[in-house]
Amino acid sequence: MTTQVPGDALVSLNAVNKHYGQLHVLKDINLNVRKGEVVVVIGPSGSGKSTLCRAINRLETIDDGVIKIDGKELPEEGKELAKLRADVGMVFQSFNLFAHKTILENVTLGPIKVKGISKTEADKDAMALLERVGVGHQAPKLPAQLSGGQQQRVAIARALAMKPKVMLFDEPTSALDPEMINEVLDVMIQLAKEGMTMIVVTHEMGFARKAADRVVFMDGGQIVEDDTPEEFFTNPKSSRAKDFLSKLLTH
Amino acid sequence: MDVIIENLPAYVDGFLRTLFLSVVSGIFALIFGTLLAAARVSPIAALRGFSMTYVEIVRNTPLTIAFFFAAVVLPRLGVTFQQFEVAAIIALSAYTSAFIAEAVRSGVNSVPVGQAEAARSIGMKFSQVLSLIILPQALRTVIPPMINILIALVKNSSVAGAFYVLELFGTGRQLANANGDAVLWVLVGVAFFYLLITVPLGYFANLVERKVAIAR
């Protein structure tokens, strides 16, 4: 599982560095994610895991190194980048549904405006996706009328509507009330089972155990461990990972 | 009081001209001001620079100078018009757009950055992010300041009276000259007709604001 064939990678980061002023947030990051793989990125706050996730569709720029999606290097800001982003689904911690659009419009906007799909077809696809994530009956409502868990499932549907090659999740359950976390995780687990390539930044260890092919542990801007979930949770190698895991288990 | 009733046709004439100047200039100012605001947040440095310079200069000089440019300087540069109304509309639109631009920009800044990030992450180009996601939300939040600016525009149109456009204020001045014994009532009449435009505008703003408010 951990042996990597570089040419095979759908997402690859090679010697990626980023600074925020003095702070070195990403230190020489190397990561390959193959098609169909589910990689969970965990680590303490400030470890750079969110920055890593956002760098993959260039919501954060990097100082040096190379990031490739499906063999293509991320282009500069502009038309080419927009095109590439359409292939990379992103789910945010704070949902970020378009506040002035209905649930249905949130999902159809990308297919209609970016991909040029007809409204009838986009509506049909969107309804199917909304049904799949369990919020079909909410289609005519505005985002603010939905619960956090429902909004996040809509956000997943919105990303899926673009038929992305890979999905990025940036702490998708961190802003949710505890009782809503599972409804989002269930959708994500289902997605993982269907073979979607996923990079998930999360604090949900249960999800990592259940759905991840690999767990990447970050600390201080570096990837400290990169292993199968079983190996990582039962037999962490670095002291930093051991320390992190022990803190999680004390409560 | 009689002086108002006797001169009602003149008042109505001036009123309609003021209304015309305000509506046409208002539309141009809204369009141009929104474009200026879009330029101000665009990724192209030259556009940002132009927008900033324009707003700073126009916002910080008196309206009379804008009128002077439109009515006197432009014709000397070869831009001539048949009617002074055109000059008045140019001056009022150019002047008001600077204020609209600032209002829209503050609205743009009030839209959470996550909205733009989400739009970019589904593959929208900058122009789409702005026109489909950011501006529709920004414009809704700036309706109250926008209406303030438009009310100011209606009143500012009185400067046109000094540049050979016989709008409401110009009419009032003529009537005051002709009716030296009833100047007070002449001006009361002028004020009434201004209120006829500006007060409904304020109510309209409240109505629209409540209609289009978006919950977060």
Side-chain angles (χ1 to χ4, degrees):
Chain A
M1 204 88 230
T2 45
T3 45
Q4 290 283 323
V5 189
D8 202 12
L10 186 55
V11 178
S12 82
L13 290 85
N14 203 339
V16 169
N17 279 286
K18 178 177 178 70
H19 297 79
Y20 282 130
Q22 289 288 314
L23 190 68
H24 199 165
V25 277
L26 294 180
K27 288 180 192 160
D28 206 28
I29 299 287
N30 291 291
L31 180 69
N32 288 304
V33 178
R34 290 173 303 127
K35 192 170 182 322
E37 216 175 4
V38 176
V39 174
V40 167
V41 183
I42 61 173
S45 339
S47 59
K49 52 193 195 307
S50 268
T51 311
L52 172 75
C53 186
R54 291 163 56 85
I56 293 170
N57 68 352
R58 214 175 180 275
L59 286 178
E60 299 278 355
T61 55
I62 55 173
D63 300 339
D64 54 72
V66 179
I67 299 177
K68 285 182 182 170
I69 309 273
D70 209 4
K72 245 179 105 182
E73 198 175 331
L74 284 185
E76 292 285 300
E77 198 73 44
K79 256 194 196 138
E80 281 302 302
L81 180 63
K83 214 186 222 170
L84 193 127
R85 277 186 180 135
D87 288 336
V88 181
M90 176 106 185
V91 175
F92 301 86
Q93 182 178 346
S94 50
F95 331 133
N96 294 344
L97 292 181
F98 305 133
H100 62 307
K101 298 278 185 193
T102 65
I103 296 307
L104 184 66
E105 288 168 340
N106 262 277
V107 181
T108 58
L109 201 61
I112 293 171
K113 298 293 179 182
V114 177
K115 290 198 154 173
I117 288 167
S118 77
K119 191 179 175 304
T120 348
E121 201 179 327
D123 280 354
K124 209 180 90 210
D125 291 352
M127 279 314 298
L129 278 169
L130 288 172
E131 293 293 349
R132 187 168 139 198
V133 299
V135 287
H137 55 294
Q138 313 279 16
K141 291 189 183 168
L142 287 169
Q145 296 170 282
L146 270 61
S147 74
Q150 291 171 328
Q151 288 194 48
Q152 193 63 299
R153 285 184 279 153
V154 174
I156 294 172
R158 173 175 69 181
L160 289 176
M162 297 303 289
K163 301 193 170 69
K165 292 174 183 163
V166 52
M167 288 278 285
L168 308 173
F169 293 82
D170 184 8
E171 302 201 23
T173 56
S174 298
L176 294 175
D177 292 336
E179 74 269 24
M180 293 172 184
I181 289 177
N182 279 332
E183 61 189 53
V184 172
L185 290 181
D186 286 345
V187 169
M188 290 168 62
I189 288 167
Q190 190 57 39
L191 207 55
K193 278 186 188 154
E194 288 165 16
M196 174 61 76
T197 311
M198 293 162 69
I199 299 173
V200 184
V201 173
T202 188
H203 295 291
E204 293 298 324
M205 300 304 147
F207 174 79
R209 279 176 200 274
K210 221 183 268 179
D213 295 312
R214 271 160 65 202
V215 172
V216 169
F217 174 71
M218 285 186 76
D219 190 27
Q222 285 173 310
I223 292 181
V224 181
E225 296 207 21
D226 182 347
D227 220 330
T228 62
E230 212 179 76
E231 192 62 20
F232 176 76
F233 286 113
T234 54
N235 188 21
K237 294 184 182 55
S238 64
S239 60
R240 283 192 278 184
K242 280 177 191 159
D243 188 44
F244 177 74
L245 287 172
S246 73
K247 276 178 191 154
L248 288 178
L249 297 173
T250 48
H251 294 289
Chain B
M1 196 69 179
D2 291 344
V3 71
I4 300 175
I5 294 157
E6 278 163 20
N7 295 292
L8 209 54
Y11 272 118
V12 170
D13 211 42
F15 168 78
L16 289 177
R17 198 154 288 135
T18 290
L19 192 63
F20 173 74
L21 285 181
S22 304
V23 169
V24 175
S25 308
I27 290 168
F28 280 132
L30 283 172
I31 294 168
F32 190 44
T34 306
L35 289 176
L36 279 171
R40 184 69 183 271
V41 296
S42 92
I44 301 161
L47 282 179
R48 284 202 303 273
F50 168 77
S51 171
M52 204 171 92
T53 313
Y54 179 91
V55 169
E56 281 308 308
I57 291 176
V58 173
R59 191 169 64 143
N60 293 311
T61 46
L63 173 60
T64 330
I65 292 188
F67 264 94
F68 184 76
F69 262 89
V72 181
V73 179
L74 280 186
R76 295 212 176 164
L77 294 174
V79 187
T80 52
F81 4 80
Q82 302 298 315
Q83 293 147 321
F84 278 102
E85 269 99 336
V86 180
I89 286 166
I90 290 173
L92 285 168
S93 313
Y95 181 78
T96 309
S97 64
F99 293 86
I100 298 276
E102 279 298 277
V104 174
R105 189 170 71 93
S106 77
V108 167
N109 289 340
S110 78
V111 179
V113 64
Q115 294 285 312
E117 285 184 349
R120 286 156 72 198
S121 76
I122 57 170
M124 286 190 188
K125 295 176 288 181
F126 174 77
S127 57
Q128 292 178 316
V129 176
L130 198 63
S131 63
L132 298 172
I133 305 300
I134 305 299
L135 282 180
Q137 295 187 52
L139 291 174
R140 286 166 215 231
T141 64
V142 296
I143 287 170
M146 205 84 109
I147 293 295
N148 272 343
I149 295 167
L150 293 179
I151 287 173
L153 163 66
V154 174
K155 298 187 289 179
N156 283 340
S157 68
S158 64
V159 176
F163 289 86
Y164 318 111
V165 179
L166 211 56
E167 44 63 77
L168 196 47
F169 193 75
T171 306
R173 206 167 42 183
Q174 275 193 350
L175 289 177
N177 285 339
N179 302 279
D181 52 338
V183 174
L184 181 65
W185 283 108
V186 167
L187 291 179
V188 166
V190 170
F192 170 77
F193 279 103
Y194 273 112
L195 290 173
L196 214 52
I197 302 175
T198 51
V199 171
L201 203 53
Y203 280 103
F204 176 69
N206 284 336
L207 202 77
V208 174
E209 197 190 352
R210 252 175 293 153
K211 261 253 160 69
V212 303
I214 28 174
R216 289 200 188 282

